[in-house]
Amino acid sequence: MLSEFSLIDRYFARRARTNTRRAVLGIGDDCALIAPAAGEMLAVSTDMLVEGRHFLPDVAPRALGHKALAVNLSDLAAMGAAPLGFTLAFALPKPREDWLEAFSNGLFELADRYGCELIGGDTTAGPLNLCITVFGSVRQSHALRRDAAQPGDDIWVSGTPGDARAGLGVLRGEWPQVPIDRADAAHFRHALEHPEPRVALGLALGGIARAALDISDGLAGDLRHILERSHVNAEIDVDALPLSAALARLPRALQLQCALAGGDDYELCFTAAQAQREAVLAAAQQAGGRVTRIGTITSSDMAGSPVAPAITWRDASGAPLNLTLQGFDHFHAD
Amino acid sequence: MLSEFSLIDRYFARRARTNTRRAVLGIGDDCALIAPAAGEMLAVSTDMLVEGRHFLPDVAPRALGHKALAVNLSDLAAMGAAPLGFTLAFALPKPREDWLEAFSNGLFELADRYGCELIGGDTTAGPLNLCITVFGSVRQSHALRRDAAQPGDDIWVSGTPGDARAGLGVLRGEWPQVPIDRADAAHFRHALEHPEPRVALGLALGGIARAALDISDGLAGDLRHILERSHVNAEIDVDALPLSAALARLPRALQLQCALAGGDDYELCFTAAQAQREAVLAAAQQAGGRVTRIGTITSSDMAGSPVAPAITWRDASGAPLNLTLQGFDHFHAD
């Protein structure tokens, strides 16, 4: 059996050392030493992934390596920060070489693509658990905060939310009565297992968008975080939701459940002043992604009060819809 | 049952907000935003604690909260960095309010004492797992790196290593034939469950010591990391090892096993030029701790070669001792 140190060295440290070194001091000391560029802040986020909760026990380790870092890079994207590096702590029941090789390949393929360097970590025996803390650099004036939405702002979303949730439904066999052809099922599963963090879009939106976050727990639930922190409400045109062709082939109720209350999308939801519409579209084009305007921020009579913010759901005609949706919550049963 | 968000808010976010804010943006956004002081680097370290491996299932949650942060602060101490903040990710089988209250009390008692602010986190359901990433600030020229030891340097250690390992032995009932009185047992257990990170000492040693690390896996094994990275060897005077009065009452073989190959001490092992002896002692006095000179760094004929570095063990008369010791390795059975 590999010892802890040879394990780290073989699959992680050696590979980390071949990257360009943004860190003054990386793996192998008590701490890594890093610094943001002059005049910039360090953006920091941490996510923990647990088997059975964030991934299925039979997930391909390469896909898991990708996703573990992708969900963290997505937090940087939502802040408009440029990736710098990350730490990886993980618990493994037993170090299996084939598993580690595939996992590290998936991890570094994504890390290299975004120039995000592994700067430190920890490994231990235990039930499978992955904890990544990611570091980015952002000008304070360009940070896309959750508390910056203003009444009158457009509400935008990137990509086609809902596909990842449909992928989970397919893998779990949740909808046996719904015919889903093989290509659509593969599309959904890819969305679930290979989310693409919207880093380029987040960077392009700096100075253009106001508030932003990434959709990890479902659009409806996540949007509420912006509303709460910005003390505003929202109106959403449900018919404007961008759906993939595959999702659009599911029954309408499933479409909405997946697109509004599904987790694991890692698309960006953001607000921007109406005067910025062209700039937003240009930023999306520059970043090579799709963005769709789905609603409007409205004022709240209860600024500063602890009352939960309201989302009004409407169809394309403006008629209100009565939707019952529940966002993803890690301590509720799924 | 508490939802994830009210859970975080009740025990962590609300309390974090009452601290002084070193972070421009903390809990509740996609990322925290922090920056080291002008001209300083950010020191980053991450540690994952798993039940049954790093703590016993029946550990008091208040002690666990202390220790989870203490082991991370110890990494900052070993780099000579001043604590700034930390992120906490944890998986819990079920959120129990009494457990969370005691855990967070132990955590924040230590965090507040060192001005180390909770800036972000993640909670999820899963087998109990705690992952903390800690941030500090250090002048690059004052960083205590593992690769900076030079032949002729004194080797120093803080405190009285071995007590924590004796505490584990007591809790596990490993030595039924050895009489250990109740006060000594309590002393050992306290060392195991309430390690005090040597932050003040690490800061005081900046510009004085050369190489340093903290002893988490046993003095012998950890010292080897300095030797490997600095391409040097070492001679240790085993009779010079500082032992607590309680440890000195155990049989000699157990003393050495605990002091040299025991884990969880979180004392500092560091090297400094002989000309710095008075400065080292003054730094320790300023920091309110004890340091002891236990050996010397010697040159290696094999600088740069992959051959394992050598530690020569001697007694006070200079005669070599033949010690068989195994450092703690998380993928070997204990």
Side-chain angles (χ1 to χ4, degrees), chain A residues 44-133:
Chain A
V44 178
S45 182
T46 192
D47 271 302
M48 179 174 272
L49 276 72
V50 173
E51 184 177 277
R53 171 61 59 169
H54 301 95
F55 55 90
L56 298 174
D58 61 349
V59 67
R62 188 185 173 94
L64 183 60
H66 171 95
K67 187 161 177 176
L69 183 59
V71 304
N72 279 281
L73 288 175
S74 179
D75 285 314
L76 292 184
M79 186 58 64
L84 285 178
F86 68 106
T87 62
L88 166 68
F90 63 105
L92 276 179
K94 278 194 176 188
R96 272 183 31 218
E97 297 199 38
D98 57 340
W99 192 95
L100 283 164
E101 178 160 9
F103 174 82
S104 61
N105 283 342
L107 183 81
F108 283 113
E109 188 276 327
L110 187 67
D112 293 349
R113 195 141 51 82
Y114 286 102
C116 191
E117 183 184 356
L118 180 64
I119 60 168
D122 193 18
T123 59
T124 180
L128 186 55
N129 183 306
L130 299 160
C131 184
I132 288 182
T133 304

Side-chain angles (χ1 to χ4, degrees), chain B residues 99-123:
Chain B
W99 192 96
L100 284 164
E101 178 158 10
F103 174 82
S104 61
N105 282 342
L107 182 83
F108 283 113
E109 187 278 326
L110 187 66
D112 293 348
R113 195 139 51 82
Y114 286 102
C116 192
E117 183 185 356
L118 180 65
I119 61 168
D122 193 18
T123 58

Side-chain angles (χ1 to χ4, degrees), chain B residues 144-157:
Chain B
L144 304 174
R145 302 166 58 132
R146 294 183 177 186
D147 60 5
Q150 295 187 14
D153 278 6
D154 293 319
I155 301 170
W156 299 78
V157 69

Side-chain angles (χ1 to χ4, degrees), chain A residues 288-309:
Chain A
R290 168 185 179 177
V291 294
T292 307
R293 195 153 44 81
I294 60 166
T296 308
I297 296 290
T298 57
S299 65
S300 163
D301 293 337
M302 296 173 264
S305 85
V307 174

Side-chain angles (χ1 to χ4, degrees), chain B residues 2 10-11 95-102:
Chain B
L2 287 166
R10 183 174 311 181
Y11 291 105
R96 271 182 33 217
E97 296 198 39
D98 57 341
W99 192 96
L100 284 164
E101 178 158 10

Side-chain angles (χ1 to χ4, degrees), chain A residues 3-4 7 24 29-32 34 41-45 48 54 122 124 131 133 135 146 212 214 329-331, chain B residues 3-4 7 24 29-32 34 41-45 48 54 122 124 131 133 135 146 212 214 329-331:
Chain A
S3 80
E4 181 189 10
L7 176 82
V24 169
D29 216 306
D30 297 289
C31 298
I34 56 173
M41 302 290 292
L42 207 72
V44 178
S45 182
M48 179 174 272
H54 301 95
D122 193 18
T124 180
C131 184
T133 304
F135 308 95
R146 294 183 177 185
D214 68 322
D329 185 321
H330 292 283
F331 280 122
Chain B
S3 81
E4 180 188 10
L7 177 81
V24 169
D29 217 305
D30 297 290
C31 297
I34 57 173
M41 302 288 293
L42 207 73
V44 179
S45 182
M48 179 175 271
H54 302 96
D122 193 18
T124 179
C131 183
T133 304
F135 308 95
R146 294 183 177 186
D214 68 323
D329 186 320
H330 293 283
F331 280 121

Side-chain angles (χ1 to χ4, degrees), chain A residues 43-283:
Chain A
V44 178
S45 182
T46 192
D47 271 302
M48 179 174 272
L49 276 72
V50 173
E51 184 177 277
R53 171 61 59 169
H54 301 95
F55 55 90
L56 298 174
D58 61 349
V59 67
R62 188 185 173 94
L64 183 60
H66 171 95
K67 187 161 177 176
L69 183 59
V71 304
N72 279 281
L73 288 175
S74 179
D75 285 314
L76 292 184
M79 186 58 64
L84 285 178
F86 68 106
T87 62
L88 166 68
F90 63 105
L92 276 179
K94 278 194 176 188
R96 272 183 31 218
E97 297 199 38
D98 57 340
W99 192 95
L100 283 164
E101 178 160 9
F103 174 82
S104 61
N105 283 342
L107 183 81
F108 283 113
E109 188 276 327
L110 187 67
D112 293 349
R113 195 141 51 82
Y114 286 102
C116 191
E117 183 184 356
L118 180 64
I119 60 168
D122 193 18
T123 59
T124 180
L128 186 55
N129 183 306
L130 299 160
C131 184
I132 288 182
T133 304
V134 73
F135 308 95
S137 187
V138 64
R139 260 197 284 168
Q140 199 174 327
S141 59
H142 277 45
L144 304 172
R145 302 167 58 132
R146 294 183 177 185
D147 60 4
Q150 295 186 15
D153 277 5
D154 293 319
I155 300 170
W156 299 78
V157 69
S158 69
T160 56
D163 292 343
R165 179 65 186 86
L168 185 64
V170 166
L171 281 180
R172 283 176 171 171
E174 284 182 62
W175 310 306
Q177 305 91 333
V178 178
I180 301 177
D181 74 29
R182 195 173 294 187
D184 284 357
H187 169 84
F188 293 144
R189 183 167 175 168
H190 186 83
L192 177 68
E193 295 186 342
H194 288 87
E196 190 59 38
R198 301 304 181 193
V199 172
L201 178 62
L203 286 170
L205 288 173
I208 295 171
R210 284 201 176 110
L213 48 59
D214 68 322
I215 306 172
S216 56
D217 299 340
L219 177 55
D222 284 324
L223 175 58
R224 282 201 166 79
H225 297 312
I226 287 182
L227 305 184
E228 268 170 19
R229 294 182 65 91
S230 299
H231 307 296
V232 292
N233 289 331
E235 287 189 10
I236 299 292
D237 173 3
V238 172
D239 289 335
L241 284 172
L243 302 181
S244 69
L247 195 67
R249 282 188 277 272
L250 297 189
R252 183 63 176 161
L254 262 190
Q255 294 172 18
L256 293 183
Q257 186 66 31
C258 290
L260 293 175
D264 269 352
D265 288 317
Y266 304 105
E267 296 294 348
L268 299 186
C269 173
F270 58 95
T271 83
Q274 293 185 18
Q276 296 284 3
R277 281 179 189 173
E278 283 185 28
V280 167
L281 292 170

